């Protein structure tokens, strides 16, 4: 794609790769999408149920808070039930990090400088090494160290980067290198600038995020601008879209950002018009219904839904399945960019869903057959 359409080329920053459980992060690995549970971790059943919904939405990694011993006590059961690696969120108490590592967490989210004396940092690193844990250093504009705030006067990109480098040194002093770093801020300008500065200073994987971004709509826009800006510049190896919304919504938004930039492909990519008086059917309600009913599709498929023939045929030529509104409740369906047949309004939703499901099954079967051929012995 990049050779044919060079304006779509994104050259990713070269970072070294680490493993978070079974998932590679950094290097040439796909950019991972993660989220965080909001249930009480001590309630293992509720937490596992939420993790399952996030898995279904496509999450690669998931973080759970471990603020107390009841949480780390439940962590072992949660780790065993989860199909994706668990990141334990630790803030100040180093013993929670030790317990989480022993319970099977794939990664510890800590700031080494916040957990106490050098001896305690050494204990956490030993536990991480012994259990094969990675560490995510999580610098945040809202919780910078006092001496950095005094030095810089306020949170700023340079302060975030300096904090990250200080924490990195604490790990490197113990010969620990399986770490990734985030320098998050709620201010988009600050976060983007900090990540760009850190990207030049280190070779470790970077975890992207605009922290405290807001609700579903406002937070999505803010995150898309900040995270999208960095990804477009080739910066970022893993990401979380922080929203005041359910965790599975964070995952869906994360994949939409990656799909828009051509960095990941998963599920149905919908091209649809904003609708107008020319529409032959209710585009807004139709798209809402299709997005809800097609969330189970994981195979990459493109679907165009256009209300009239002004742009409909042109968009349909570029998608796997297309729908263009016509007169008298009769609408045109395109398959692989070619006019194929018509469908009536009352049958339209079920028909398009069945076409997408059939296309997904076809593509999955073709992929399985191709994989089987690769595994066949040479004649």
């Amino acid at each position: 794609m990049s050779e044919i359409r060079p304006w779509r080329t994104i050259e990713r920053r070269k970072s070294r790769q680490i493993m978070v459980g079974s998932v590679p992060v950094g290097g040439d690995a796909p950019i991972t999408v993660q989220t965080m549970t909001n249930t009480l971790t001590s309630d293992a059943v509720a937490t596992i149920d939420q993790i399952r919904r996030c898995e279904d939405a496509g999450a690669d990694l998931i973080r759970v808070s471990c603020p107390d011993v009841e949480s780390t006590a439940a962590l072992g059961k949660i780790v065993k039930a989860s199909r994706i690696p668990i990141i334990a969120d630790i803030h100040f108490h180093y013993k929670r990090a030790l317990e989480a590592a022993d319970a099977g967490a794939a990664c510890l989210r800590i700031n080494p400088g916040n957990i106490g004396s050098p001896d305690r940092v050494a204990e956490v690193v030993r536990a991480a090494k012994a259990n094969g844990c990675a560490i995510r250093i999580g610098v945040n504009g809202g919780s910078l160290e006092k001496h950095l705030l005094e030095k810089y006067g306020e949170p700023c990109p340079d302060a975030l980067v300096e904090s990250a480098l200080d924490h990195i040194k604490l790990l490197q002093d113990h010969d620990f290198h399986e770490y990734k770093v985030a320098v998050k801020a709620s201010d988009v300008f600050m976060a983007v600038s900090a990540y760009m500065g850190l990207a030049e200073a280190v070779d470790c994987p970077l975890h992207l995020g605009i922290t405290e971004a807001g609700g579903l709509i406002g937070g999505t826009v803010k995150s898309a601008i900040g995270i999208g800006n960095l990804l477009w510049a080739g910066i970022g190896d893993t990401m979380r879209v922080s929203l005041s919304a359910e965790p599975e919504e964070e995952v869906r938004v994360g994949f939409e950002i990656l799909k828009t930039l051509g960095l990941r492909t998963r599920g149905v990519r919908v091209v649809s018009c904003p609708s107008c008086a020319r529409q032959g059917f209710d585009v807004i309600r139709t798209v809402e219904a299709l997005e809800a009913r097609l969330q189970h599709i994981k195979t990459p498929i493109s679907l165009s839904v256009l209300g009239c023939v002004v742009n409909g045929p042109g968009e349909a030529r570029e998608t796997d399945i297309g729908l263009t509104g016509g007169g008298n409740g009769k609408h045109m369906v395109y398959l692989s960019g070619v006019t194929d047949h018509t469908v009536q309004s009352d049958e339209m939703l079920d028909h398009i869903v069945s076409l997408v499901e059939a296309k997904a099954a076809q593509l999955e079967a073709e992929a399985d057959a191709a994989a089987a051929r690769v595994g066949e012995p040479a004649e």
Side-chain angles (χ1 to χ4, degrees):
M1 182 175 69
S2 61
E3 293 179 358
I4 299 171
R5 301 179 178 90
W7 61 89
R8 292 185 180 179
T9 300
I10 293 177
E11 293 186 9
R12 285 181 64 185
R13 161 185 170 267
K14 297 186 186 303
S15 63
R16 57 186 173 81
Q17 191 173 98
I18 68 170
M19 296 298 295
V20 179
S22 59
V23 176
V25 174
D28 58 358
I31 296 165
T32 57
V33 175
Q34 60 181 269
T35 184
M36 186 173 183
T37 57
N38 56 29
T39 54
L40 287 175
T41 307
S42 55
D43 186 343
V45 173
T47 303
I48 291 166
D49 285 346
Q50 192 170 73
I51 290 172
R52 198 68 75 232
R53 293 195 296 273
C54 294
E55 291 170 342
D56 291 341
D60 302 297
L61 304 166
I62 194 157
R63 179 158 51 114
V64 301
S65 291
C66 293
D68 47 43
V69 70
E70 291 79 13
S71 297
T72 51
L75 195 61
K77 182 178 180 180
I78 293 167
V79 167
K80 288 178 182 176
S82 177
R83 296 192 291 260
I84 57 178
I86 298 291
I87 300 166
D89 191 68
I90 312 294
H91 282 276
F92 300 109
H93 208 301
Y94 81 103
K95 286 189 176 179
R96 301 294 85 79
L98 306 180
E99 294 159 1
D102 289 340
C107 182
L108 305 174
R109 186 274 187 199
I110 61 171
N111 281 348
N114 289 352
I115 59 175
S117 67
D119 288 343
R120 290 182 175 181
V121 174
E123 279 196 65
V124 171
V125 171
R126 279 196 295 269
K129 286 182 176 180
N131 290 281
C133 286
I135 288 178
R136 198 260 276 185
I137 295 171
V139 177
N140 192 301
S143 56
L144 280 168
E145 295 90 327
K146 183 179 178 181
H147 75 277
L148 291 176
L149 290 175
E150 291 174 350
K151 176 179 178 179
Y152 291 98
E154 64 177 1
C156 65
D158 286 345
L160 288 169
V161 172
E162 184 171 336
S163 176
L165 295 177
D166 289 345
H167 291 303
I168 287 171
K169 186 177 185 304
L170 288 173
L171 296 183
Q172 290 179 335
D173 286 346
H174 293 285
D175 195 29
F176 189 87
H177 306 283
E178 296 298 300
Y179 59 82
K180 51 182 176 160
V181 185
V183 281
K184 295 184 180 182
S186 59
D187 180 278
V188 172
F189 296 95
M190 188 191 308
V192 169
S193 180
Y195 275 111
M196 287 183 169
L198 188 62
E200 293 181 0
V202 299
D203 69 346
C204 63
L206 298 183
H207 169 71
L208 302 186
I210 305 299
T211 194
E212 287 95 40
L216 182 58
I217 294 177
T220 293
V221 172
K222 198 172 182 180
S223 298
I225 292 171
I227 295 173
N229 191 316
L230 290 164
L231 291 172
W232 204 331
I235 296 170
D237 303 286
T238 182
M239 58 183 281
R240 178 199 176 186
V241 178
S242 299
L243 303 174
S244 299
E246 293 304 318
E248 54 266 41
E249 295 297 336
E250 294 188 347
V251 177
R252 294 186 185 109
V253 173
F255 271 101
E256 287 301 321
I257 292 172
L258 292 173
K259 284 195 290 185
T260 298
L261 293 171
L263 294 168
R264 289 282 296 269
T265 54
R266 183 187 192 278
V268 182
R269 177 176 64 86
V270 177
V271 177
S272 61
C273 67
S275 81
C276 70
R278 295 191 305 267
Q279 64 183 354
F281 57 87
D282 188 337
V283 173
I284 294 174
R285 302 289 92 75
T286 298
V287 170
E288 285 178 350
L290 287 171
E291 287 183 335
R293 292 180 60 178
L294 296 173
Q295 284 185 7
H296 65 291
I297 302 293
K298 298 177 176 61
T299 304
I301 293 174
S302 54
L303 168 66
S304 57
V305 181
L306 281 293
C308 75
V309 296
V310 173
N311 293 319
E315 294 292 353
R317 281 195 292 270
E318 304 298 324
T319 54
D320 296 311
I321 298 168
L323 174 67
T324 296
N328 300 318
K330 188 177 181 181
H331 315 297
M332 182 59 66
V333 177
Y334 302 77
L335 302 179
S336 301
V338 179
T339 304
D340 193 84
H341 60 275
T342 60
V343 63
Q344 298 291 329
S345 293
D346 56 354
E347 302 171 350
M348 183 175 63
L349 275 175
D350 290 341
H351 185 63
I352 296 299
V353 169
S354 67
L355 287 175
V356 172
E357 290 176 337
K359 183 68 174 178
Q362 175 198 334
L363 293 173
E364 289 167 10
E366 291 173 355
D368 290 342
R373 287 194 297 271
V374 170
E376 290 175 356
E379 294 183 0

